[in-house]
Amino acid sequence: MLQLYLDLLSQPCRAVYIFAKKNNIDFELQLVNLSKGEQHSPEFKRVNPLHKVPALKDGDFTLAESIAILLHLVRKFDTPDHWYPADLQKRARVDEFLSWQHTALRPHNSKIFWYKVMTPLVLGKEIESERMEAALKELRTTLDQFEEKFLQDKPFIAGNEISLADLIAVVELMQTVVSGVDIFKDRPKVDAWHERVEAALGADLFQEAHKNILSFRNEKEPLSPPVADAMKAVLLRYM
């Protein structure tokens, strides 16, 4: 049986989980607890030597990276066309967004999460207000680009139906909501899009996938020393 190695605190993992569940793809969930460093175990290294989740194992075949996994699931399970349209221009719009989000939406959302949530956890102090404001300014610029370039006046990024682009985008933006930043405030177009995406995915499934991350700030697991050191290194790179 297909196995998916996930930690639902990770937004790429949540995207893969939601997609597989929404499309009734039969899989065995293998939980990998990042806060305990389980991604560095010898067992997981045999699945993904990069020590990252999500990861997929299907018999002797293994695959890393969330976008590659999502595209593989689209093709292997012949999911409905709207996820990754056969129409070349619509597909190009999905590809365009998936390429852009790696260097814009994801890093800027992640920086907010690391500053607001992980800095107090790892360093035991709040981030400096100047750094926080600079990160929020970057995020606002990214949201302007998302709204003006990718969403425009369409119901969804690639047109009239939900696609992989919308799934990736909404999961990324939820990471900022977890940080306590209301990115939908004063952005009615983006807020309405978010509601359409959640409805298309199914509110119950959406909440199921986000249950752990939404409670993360109040119910944090203690970090093992090696994991804490690794996260501190990430923070220092951001700073």
Side-chain angles (χ1 to χ4, degrees):
M1 178 187 293
L2 179 74
Q3 295 176 305
L4 293 176
Y5 291 76
L6 310 173
D7 184 333
L8 295 183
L9 293 181
S10 156
Q11 56 268 45
C13 288
R14 294 197 298 276
V16 170
Y17 180 85
I18 290 171
F19 183 81
K21 285 277 191 175
K22 180 64 179 176
N23 288 281
N24 298 311
I25 295 171
D26 192 19
F27 68 93
E28 181 180 309
L29 177 60
Q30 299 287 341
L31 292 174
V32 180
N33 191 320
L34 299 179
S35 68
K36 294 182 178 178
E38 291 178 356
Q39 69 274 28
H40 298 293
S41 69
E43 293 80 14
F44 184 68
K45 183 179 181 180
R46 288 193 286 270
V47 177
N48 185 7
L50 300 175
H51 303 288
K52 294 168 62 179
V53 290
L56 173 151
K57 188 174 188 296
D58 190 2
D60 294 330
F61 177 73
T62 60
L63 188 64
E65 299 299 326
S66 58
I67 301 302
I69 291 171
L70 287 167
L71 292 175
H72 176 69
L73 294 178
V74 163
R75 294 158 180 149
K76 179 178 175 67
F77 294 97
D78 193 25
T79 57
D81 178 76
H82 61 84
W83 290 110
Y84 195 58
D87 179 276
L88 290 181
Q89 290 190 1
K90 290 182 179 179
R91 178 173 289 195
R93 289 296 175 215
V94 175
D95 289 336
E96 180 183 45
F97 175 81
L98 295 180
S99 298
W100 173 79
Q101 60 91 26
H102 279 299
T103 57
L105 190 63
R106 179 161 171 72
H108 294 162
N109 275 282
S110 294
K111 183 180 286 187
I112 299 296
F113 179 78
W114 278 86
Y115 278 1
K116 294 280 284 184
V117 179
M118 299 306 295
T119 297
L121 176 63
V122 177
L123 300 183
K125 64 179 182 179
E126 299 293 327
I127 196 72
E128 298 92 336
S129 58
E130 295 83 2
R131 291 188 188 276
M132 192 69 242
E133 184 52 42
L136 288 170
K137 184 178 179 180
E138 287 180 343
L139 177 61
R140 287 192 289 269
T141 299
T142 297
L143 289 172
D144 289 342
Q145 293 172 345
F146 173 69
E147 190 169 348
E148 295 166 10
K149 161 64 179 170
F150 295 98
L151 190 55
Q152 300 177 7
D153 293 318
K154 300 170 291 184
F156 299 98
I157 293 172
N160 293 324
E161 295 183 280
I162 190 173
S163 70
L164 291 180
D166 300 284
L167 172 59
I168 293 293
V170 77
V171 170
E172 286 292 344
L173 291 177
M174 282 300 295
Q175 194 81 352
T176 308
V177 173
V178 170
S179 306
V181 178
D182 186 357
I183 53 104
F184 301 117
K185 185 180 180 181
D186 301 325
R187 291 183 183 269
K189 184 185 295 187
V190 178
D191 192 31
W193 161 84
H194 159 252
E195 292 182 357
R196 286 192 295 271
V197 174
E198 185 170 342
L201 294 171
D204 289 344
L205 174 58
F206 194 77
Q207 292 302 315
E208 175 189 333
H210 286 85
K211 179 181 177 180
N212 290 347
I213 191 65
L214 288 171
S215 62
F216 179 74
R217 296 187 73 175
N218 299 321
E219 301 177 9
K220 304 181 188 74
E221 291 188 40
L223 301 175
S224 67
V227 173
D229 288 343
M231 289 187 173
K232 184 175 181 179
V234 173
L235 275 173
L236 292 175
R237 286 200 298 272
Y238 275 131
M239 296 166 64

